[in-house]
Amino acid sequence: MVKEIISGLAIAVTFIAFFPYIHSILVGRTKPHVFSWVIWGSTTFIVFLAQLEDGGGAGAWPIGISGLITFYIALLAYRKKADITITNMDWAFFAAAMASIPVWYFTSDPTWAVILLTGIDVIGFGPTIRKAFAHPYDEDLKFFALFALRNLLVVMALERYTIATMLFPAVIASVCLVFICMIVYRRRVVG
């Protein structure tokens, strides 16, 4: 019962984090890149499936919901005629994300898919880190703090602790925390 409550808190944090972003899309202030959100939705949802297969239980639910919300953002971006340009790098990330499925199938082990997908998500953070280093006031610290919290709650809610269930939320929480520290530091330096 405790795991389900913690998972419910993580789901609530997920909605709280995403709501302002979705609202911003709906009112036309934000125009997300469609294909980026398709990639992130794919990686997140595949991790969710891998976590379920490896016994993550209630702890996997917030990741699955996050994947569905991410696909919803991609749909909104498409419907709102946001940025639909697709680069070779976008295709490379998408191909890498989709490569996790045969890796999982042929190894019969969700761990390798989660390792691959976690790496893809961390690499995908690169441009955001580069941009925030140069322009530390352009990022919303609250959004990243909520995702760090959500992923820490996910780890606490997991019903089975393995690399396949823990790696993605633990790494993403860590990356969010490091990102927040970098932004706070850069804001002090830049002024």
Side-chain angles (χ1 to χ4, degrees), residues 70-142:
T70 304
F71 280 130
Y72 176 66
I73 290 171
L75 176 66
L76 283 178
Y78 177 75
R79 294 173 93 193
K80 292 286 189 173
K81 307 293 188 246
D83 186 356
I84 58 171
T85 58
I86 301 172
T87 67
N88 288 337
M89 184 62 80
D90 294 333
W91 281 112
F93 276 118
F94 185 70
M98 293 303 105
S100 67
I101 295 170
V103 165
W104 181 1
Y105 178 77
F106 288 116
T107 64
S108 298
D109 184 357
T111 303
W112 291 108
V114 171
I115 290 169
L116 178 62
L117 294 167
T118 302
I120 291 166
D121 261 37
V122 170
I123 291 167
F125 232 98
T128 301
I129 291 170
R130 182 180 41 77
K131 184 183 95 146
F133 189 83
H135 305 284
Y137 290 96
D138 286 358
E139 293 296 337
D140 182 0
L141 290 179
K142 198 179 334 174

Side-chain angles (χ1 to χ4, degrees), residues 50-51 54-56 114 154 158 160-169:
Q51 287 177 323
D54 211 32
V114 171
V154 165
L158 290 169
R160 184 168 180 248
Y161 293 100
T162 67
I163 291 173
T165 62
M166 286 184 53
L167 184 68
F168 184 81

Side-chain angles (χ1 to χ4, degrees), residues 25 27 38 48 63 69 72 74 77 124 127 134 156 172 175 180 184 189 191:
I25 295 167
V27 299
V38 168
F48 161 67
I63 301 298
I69 293 170
Y72 176 66
M156 292 170 53
I172 299 305
V175 170
I180 290 166
V184 169
V189 170

Side-chain angles (χ1 to χ4, degrees), residues 34-54:
V34 174
F35 207 62
S36 291
W37 286 92
V38 168
I39 293 167
W40 290 329
S42 301
T43 58
T44 304
F45 204 75
I46 295 168
V47 166
F48 161 67
L49 295 174
Q51 287 177 323
L52 281 182
E53 181 175 311
D54 211 32

